[in-house]
Amino acid sequence: MERLSATDLNSVLEVARELGAMRDVDELRASVLGQLRRLVDCDTLSFNELAPADGEAIIAAVDPEEILWDGAEELFGAYAHQNPLVAAAGRPGDVGVRKFSDLVSARQLHSLDIYDVIYRQIEVEHQIAFTLPAPSRHVIGFALNRNRRQPDFSERDRNMLEAVRPFVVQAYETAAVRSRLAALERHAIALRERAQLHPDALRARGLTAREVEVLRLLGDGLANAAIARELALSERTVAKHLEHVYSKLGVGNRTAALARAREVSAPGEAV
């Protein structure tokens, strides 16, 4: 592997520092494509989460966004298994940076259905990609693309991505942990707030047992549709229950209803 220049290595380290500062997965996804573009010139790039054997694909981030069209994810999911890089990524131990041209000729690429129905449409002729650790049967990774008017990706491009990949993996794993911790904290807060809603105090305000249950699920952060599924009700019925809750508590919205319910449930509150 040819050595990177001091300038290239500094660029990789700058990107590593930027990625290490990301607070959660959503922020990382929004940033990492731009950071990769700083290192390797490309026309388009994307972050994809795939289950090729199941025909499923999530295009978690793409740059520029306008290359996507309605139904693109479903189409990509159906044909992702034909992508030579996706197939290579599914082999145990294959975690290196790979290009289309490492695996297939231009003629072979053009003969694939995925090229005809997707890549030809968005002018992808050259692709280079690397993956992140993923559960069995899944492929999670970044793909950088160039059109046929551009040269194929060089060995310098490969080396830049090889150098930055460990930092991307670490940043992604750290951001995922932070996201999980934040979700647990939100859940703990919701449980504490739910515990603060005392049914007897609320029923003394005229709420029915069902209205109290709807209110408690509301406190868990559930939307009307989720409350309806939880209680085997229609969304319309849930909405009517909430109208009654608002009226009985003298409020006009969900946030105010929860705040008032906690006040009513507080020790010493007259009901």
Side-chain angles (χ1 to χ4, degrees):
M1 183 176 81
E2 65 184 58
R3 299 179 62 180
L4 293 173
S5 68
T7 299
D8 283 342
L9 286 173
N10 283 333
S11 296
V12 169
L13 292 176
E14 287 175 8
V15 167
R17 283 192 290 270
E18 292 284 345
L19 295 178
M22 298 297 101
R23 292 170 295 183
D24 55 40
V25 171
D26 288 338
E27 187 178 24
L28 179 65
R29 287 171 178 166
S31 172
V32 71
L33 297 188
Q35 299 297 338
L36 292 178
R37 193 185 282 278
R38 287 174 56 186
L39 301 179
V40 175
D41 181 55
C42 58
D43 298 314
T44 61
L45 65 168
S46 63
F47 176 38
N48 309 301
E49 301 177 5
L50 312 172
D54 301 322
E56 297 177 356
I58 297 175
I59 303 174
V62 63
D63 179 21
E65 293 184 358
E66 54 266 26
I67 67 169
L68 286 185
W69 66 93
D70 288 343
E73 283 188 325
E74 291 79 4
L75 197 61
F76 188 42
Y79 290 97
H81 64 283
Q82 290 190 2
N83 182 311
L85 302 180
V86 172
R91 294 195 289 266
D94 194 331
V95 295
V97 177
R98 298 285 183 267
K99 305 186 292 183
F100 275 165
S101 56
D102 293 334
L103 303 170
V104 295
S105 67
R107 174 174 290 188
Q108 290 171 323
L109 177 67
H110 296 167
S111 70
L112 298 174
D113 293 332
I114 192 173
Y115 180 84
D116 194 46
V117 301
I118 298 177
Y119 294 139
R120 187 192 302 276
Q121 311 307 317
I122 58 176
E123 296 191 86
V124 171
E125 187 70 18
H126 310 292
Q127 186 173 100
I128 190 169
F130 66 90
T131 60
L132 305 180
S136 176
R137 295 169 58 87
H138 288 72
V139 175
I140 299 176
F142 296 89
L144 291 76
N145 308 302
R146 289 178 180 168
N147 62 47
R148 67 171 55 201
R149 296 180 296 278
Q150 303 294 331
D152 194 3
F153 293 96
S154 67
E155 287 307 299
R156 178 264 177 193
D157 297 331
R158 189 200 305 271
N159 293 340
M160 289 291 277
L161 295 179
E162 290 277 14
V164 81
R165 180 185 179 276
F167 298 109
V168 176
V169 171
Q170 182 61 57
Y172 189 83
E173 291 177 345
T174 300
V177 169
R178 288 173 178 163
S179 294
R180 287 195 292 271
L181 289 175
L184 287 172
E185 183 177 359
R186 289 193 298 270
H187 183 63
I189 291 172
L191 288 176
R192 286 197 299 270
E193 292 176 342
R194 180 184 176 119
Q196 294 168 6
L197 302 183
H198 298 296
D200 290 344
L202 293 169
R203 283 197 291 269
R205 288 282 176 164
L207 273 67
T208 66
R210 180 64 87 184
E211 289 164 357
V212 170
E213 189 59 29
V214 168
L215 188 58
R216 294 184 70 176
L217 291 172
L218 190 70
D220 286 349
L222 273 63
N224 285 15
I227 294 173
R229 288 194 297 271
E230 186 76 17
L231 299 178
L233 302 173
S234 69
E235 286 189 55
R236 181 177 178 82
T237 299
V238 170
K240 293 301 289 186
H241 282 315
L242 287 174
E243 286 179 17
H244 296 157
V245 169
Y246 300 161
S247 176
K248 292 174 182 179
L249 294 179
V251 298
N253 58 57
R254 303 160 74 93
T255 302
L258 287 170
R260 182 59 183 145
R262 291 175 193 126
E263 291 174 5
V264 168
S265 299
E269 173 71 15
V271 294

